[in-house]
Amino acid sequence: MPTYITLLNWTDQGVRAYRDTAKRYEAFRAAMDKLGVKLLDFHWTVGQYDIIYTFEAPDDETATAASLQLSSLGNVRTTTLRAFDRGEMDGIIAKAAA
């Protein structure tokens, strides 16, 4: 399955409700499971982003649906990146060199 990395920043609403972030994580994890998305890791961070997580989804549409569902709650803004492992990158290089 394709891998994605999502960078999150809390909105004003999300910061005001920071005490609920662990509970929101549990609800988020359950919602991802329902969409067929596999959450690989999840970290609260210090620096430019407040949260970073990595996940696998069957396709870009499902990954986008997961991000929209999360963002629609109003607690975070997301930036999602498609990530490629070594094997995928080898295939991309082979195509580009052809």
Side-chain angles (χ1 to χ4, degrees):
M1 276 201 290
T3 302
Y4 303 86
I5 299 167
T6 300
L7 312 169
L8 292 91
N9 283 312
W10 282 340
T11 61
D12 290 342
Q13 173 183 310
V15 170
R16 282 192 302 272
Y18 74 89
R19 288 178 183 90
D20 297 330
T21 190
K23 291 177 190 172
R24 290 196 310 259
Y25 163 78
E26 294 301 332
F28 166 69
R29 185 176 198 83
M32 295 281 272
D33 287 343
K34 286 182 183 177
L35 288 173
V37 172
K38 181 180 178 187
L39 189 59
L40 300 175
D41 58 52
F42 187 101
H43 303 280
W44 288 267
T45 58
V46 175
Q48 184 175 356
Y49 299 99
D50 299 311
I51 299 167
I52 296 175
Y53 67 90
T54 305
F55 67 99
E56 291 179 342
D59 50 50
D60 290 344
E61 293 82 4
T62 304
T64 302
S67 291
L68 286 171
Q69 192 176 65
L70 175 62
S71 296
S72 72
L73 301 174
N75 293 307
V76 294
R77 287 186 186 24
T78 65
T79 300
T80 301
L81 310 165
R82 171 65 166 91
F84 301 95
D85 65 21
R86 172 63 191 264
E88 291 169 317
M89 196 63 209
D90 287 343
I92 291 167
I93 291 168
K95 286 182 182 181

